[in-house]
Amino acid sequence: MALEVCVKAAVGAPDVLGDCPFSQRVLLTLEEKKLPYKMHLINISDKPQWFLAISPEGKVPVLKKDDKWVSDSDVITSILEEKYPEPSLKTPPEFASVGSKIFSTFVTFLKSKDSSDGSEKALLDELEALETHLKTHDGPFIAGGKVSAVDLSLAPKLYHLKVALGHYKSWSVPESLPHVHGYMKALFSLDSFEKTKTEEKYVIAGWEHKVNP
């Protein structure tokens, strides 16, 4: 029986897969594990009643497992790893937190209206730490030659970083970080990523109200 998953629909296009990086992380995990699934697109600005009944907080993603709906991408991906251990996507514990602050520092910088508030440097510091890790370990992925959970968490976030900062701040990852560029290219070339990413225009639309509230 196919798993069921509720994910965000695109802003202004309720029939198109949307821009939620946590939803994409779950879809990437399902794709990499070659698990059949049925996807429900949820219009976040007009949530259907049946969805609010299974996710009272109205959050996506949620996954149906054994007739129960489970929320939170951390919990969902852990359950999928436990229940479907092959192929393994486990990240070695010593690498599990690599890049973990990139998304929060990206969001702060994206929303910043003050160029001297240190938010750009904070993001650059995190990207430089990722560069150092990639430079000193075999790649192309964080834990080596095989993609693992930490990569599937970072891939959608780095996509958002690239698209949103490019659009709203004309900013891009510096060329002085070649390993980060190579890593992003490796992630964005995955078949699973191609299949589960939203169009750039929906990433831009998804951030609009946060950048210009």
Side-chain angles (χ1 to χ4, degrees), residues 84-159:
Y84 307 99
E86 294 300 326
S88 172
L89 293 173
K90 274 190 175 166
T91 302
E94 64 271 26
F95 300 147
S97 64
V98 172
S100 62
K101 292 184 183 157
I102 287 174
F103 191 65
S104 59
T105 52
F106 145 66
V107 174
T108 303
F109 176 45
L110 179 65
K111 290 157 75 172
S112 166
K113 301 281 190 261
D114 175 5
S115 60
S116 62
D117 65 3
S119 59
E120 180 179 10
K121 184 180 184 309
L123 173 59
L124 282 170
D125 286 348
E126 294 304 323
L127 290 171
E128 279 163 11
L130 177 59
E131 176 75 15
T132 300
H133 172 87
L134 294 166
K135 193 159 58 180
T136 53
H137 295 80
D138 289 337
F141 301 111
I142 281 176
K146 272 177 55 188
V147 78
S148 74
V150 67
D151 302 302
L152 302 184
S153 175
L154 270 176
K157 296 169 182 174
L158 289 168
Y159 181 59

